[in-house]
């Protein structure tokens, strides 16, 4: 099969095209023909060596596809089933609801081969079946776990958001942001989205976001305060991390919550601790999604509550390298999905 392989750490040139053996599903595994593989900012962090991988490795952790072969002992899935994957595999005895935190987890595209390929073999229990009736194309379920599920977990499980609350979404024009704004709307929240780009602002408005703030060097907290009668928002979905965290802490109301879901800057960050204490801000991490979060995410895509915003590219090394460069430059609109 054709695959893109990461051979070392460095620039996009460490990604090369290879012809390798199609994997054979072991016991409990199924072979999935890749319909879509999302290109994630995390892939660029792994490529640059900020996150270590077992090299050489096939990158890519955002997978949807069709089961084409079933290994021994698999009764839950059949040939022809459409599935979306978690971004990791977990030991079968992992505690239900805490799959994302289990010891022994293997991250796709890092600890084991991912989906920049035509086929991937995975344990059946890391996959969620997609029902026959669906509003979204199969390849768009590739980012059900890493984007839609992540937003769902952050808002529902971590922030415990209740209908009518206001949420601020940072990095709103990126893949995670565009979809988390929609998840928040689907949960009945008022959404204020912040972005640096006028172009991305227009996309956000077309998706029904309540307020879009385009900001420059002065930050966004003043504008957010104005939009909330000087109070600040109930929740911040912090998708960017370091570069926006200070502004987020200034934008949240007293007693509000800031949920950290992503971080584009791997260096240590400075945080004004007094702000956190004086406002009794809850600052919580949220790590991707669990099986139940993924199930919810698949539901949100299937019933049309979340409209996938993405661009398809072929499984070609030139296109994939270019996708990495676009993500690193913050220029990708929505998700870029490899559709072999
Ligand atoms: Zn991802």
């Amino acid at each position: 099969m054709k695959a893109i392989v990461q051979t070392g750490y460095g620039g996009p040139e460490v990604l090369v095209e290879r012809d390798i053996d199609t994997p054979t599903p072991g016991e409990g595994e199924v072979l999935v023909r890749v319909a879509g593989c999302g290109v994630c900012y995390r892939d660029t962090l792994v490529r640059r060596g900020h996150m270590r991988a077992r090299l050489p490795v096939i990158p890519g952790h955002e997978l949807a596809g069709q089961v084409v072969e079933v290994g021994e002992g698999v009764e839950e899935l059949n040939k022809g089933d459409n599935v979306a994957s978690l971004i990791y595999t977990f030991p079968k005895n992992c505690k239900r609801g805490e799959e994302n935190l289990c010891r022994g987890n293997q991250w796709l595209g890092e600890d084991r081969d991912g989906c920049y390929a035509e086929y991937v073999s995975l344990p059946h229990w890391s996959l969620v079946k997609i029902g026959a009736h669906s509003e979204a194309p199969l390849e768009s379920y590739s980012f059900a776990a890493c984007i839609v599920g992540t937003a769902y977990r952050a808002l529902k499980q971590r922030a415990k958001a209740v209908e009518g609350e206001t949420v601020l979404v940072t990095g709103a024009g990126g893949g995670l942001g565009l979809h988390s704004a929609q998840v928040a709307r689907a949960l009945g929240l008022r959404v204020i989205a912040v972005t640096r780009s006028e172009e991305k602002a227009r996309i956000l408005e077309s998706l029904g976001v309540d307020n879009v703030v385009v900001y420059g060097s002065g930050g966004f907290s003043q504008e957010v305060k104005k939009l909330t009668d000087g109070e600040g928002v109930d929740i911040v979905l912090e998708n960017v991390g370091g570069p926006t965290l200070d502004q987020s802490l200034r934008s949240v109301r007293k007693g509000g919550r800031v949920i950290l879901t992503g971080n584009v800057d791997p260096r240590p960050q400075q945080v004004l601790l007094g702000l956190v204490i004086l406002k009794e801000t809850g600052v919580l991490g949220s790590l991707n999604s669990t099986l139940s979060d993924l199930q919810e995410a698949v539901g949100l895509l299937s019933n049309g509550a979340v409209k996938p915003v993405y661009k398809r590219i072929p499984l070609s090394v030139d296109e994939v390298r270019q996708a990495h460069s676009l993500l690193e430059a913050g220029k990708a609109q929505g998700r870029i999905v490899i559709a072999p």
Side-chain angles (χ1 to χ4, degrees):
M1 68 169 184
K2 189 163 132 182
I4 310 277
V5 177
Q6 181 181 333
T7 53
Y9 297 111
E13 69 282 354
V14 301
L15 303 172
V16 298
E17 196 171 304
R18 292 261 169 88
D19 190 28
I20 57 170
D21 291 340
T22 302
T24 310
E27 198 182 333
E29 290 190 342
V30 296
L31 185 67
V32 178
R33 183 169 58 223
V34 178
C37 179
V39 182
C40 185
Y41 193 83
R42 185 180 173 117
D43 302 351
T44 71
L45 291 174
V46 176
R47 198 205 67 223
R48 280 177 277 162
H50 292 300
M51 297 167 105
R52 291 278 138 179
R54 179 225 72 193
L55 296 179
V57 73
I58 300 174
H61 55 262
E62 302 186 356
L63 162 71
Q66 187 171 53
V67 175
V68 290
E69 209 179 314
V70 170
E72 234 175 278
V74 180
E75 285 169 6
E76 293 77 357
L77 289 173
N78 295 300
K79 249 189 198 180
D81 284 345
N82 289 336
V83 290
S85 177
L86 286 173
I87 77 161
Y88 52 85
T89 63
F90 59 90
K92 206 176 178 182
N93 60 0
C94 178
K95 194 171 163 202
R96 181 93 194 158
E98 293 183 9
E99 296 90 1
N100 58 337
L101 301 176
C102 271
R103 274 181 78 175
N105 280 8
Q106 291 191 321
W107 298 76
L108 272 60
E110 291 162 46
D111 306 314
R112 61 183 292 154
D113 281 336
C115 56
Y116 285 21
E118 290 177 294
Y119 297 92
V120 191
S121 186
L122 289 171
H124 72 85
W125 59 84
S126 298
L127 303 166
V128 165
K129 197 170 151 176
I130 300 165
H133 301 286
S134 159
E135 295 231 352
L138 178 55
E139 72 258 17
S140 68
Y141 287 86
S142 54
F143 50 84
C146 197
I147 293 187
V148 185
T150 295
Y152 179 85
R153 175 169 190 77
L155 290 168
K156 202 71 191 174
Q157 309 295 344
R158 303 297 285 157
K160 313 268 186 224
V162 291
E163 218 178 315
E165 284 194 302
T166 299
V167 60
L168 170 71
V169 178
T170 66
L176 182 52
L178 279 177
H179 296 90
S180 37
Q182 295 187 70
V183 172
R185 292 284 299 144
L187 294 174
L189 307 175
R190 175 190 170 199
V191 179
I192 300 176
V194 296
T195 175
R196 303 186 80 111
S197 145
E198 291 282 356
E199 205 178 344
K200 289 173 175 177
R202 280 195 290 279
I203 302 174
L204 286 157
E205 278 159 2
S206 74
L207 290 170
V209 167
D210 301 271
N211 301 100
V212 182
V213 176
V214 182
Y215 68 98
S217 55
F220 49 80
S221 62
Q222 295 290 343
E223 198 58 36
V224 171
K225 282 277 178 67
K226 269 189 224 160
L227 289 167
T228 51
D229 295 328
E231 284 291 317
V233 294
D234 301 296
I235 301 163
V236 179
L237 202 53
E238 181 49 272
N239 293 325
V240 178
T244 49
L245 183 56
D246 178 70
Q247 283 291 300
S248 292
L249 290 170
R250 292 174 195 279
S251 301
V252 75
R253 70 162 164 82
K254 287 183 178 171
R257 304 82 98 192
V258 175
I259 314 295
L260 308 175
T261 61
N263 182 25
V264 298
D265 186 348
R267 293 171 303 181
Q269 303 295 326
Q270 287 201 328
V271 176
L272 214 54
L273 294 176
L275 261 182
V276 177
I277 298 165
L278 289 170
K279 297 211 287 188
E280 273 204 339
T281 307
V283 180
L284 291 170
S286 189
L287 179 62
N288 216 268
S289 51
T290 63
L291 268 183
S292 76
D293 302 321
L294 175 55
Q295 254 143 8
E296 295 287 346
V298 165
L300 288 168
L301 284 162
S302 293
N303 67 20
V306 172
K307 306 240 178 297
V309 184
Y310 66 102
K311 187 184 117 181
R312 287 169 60 120
I313 59 168
L315 181 63
S316 114
V317 73
D318 291 339
E319 299 258 10
V320 170
R321 285 175 178 172
Q322 205 186 346
H324 272 232
S325 302
L326 271 177
L327 276 175
E328 284 170 281
K331 296 221 168 92
Q333 286 169 7
R335 199 32 124 218
I336 299 171
V337 173
I338 304 167

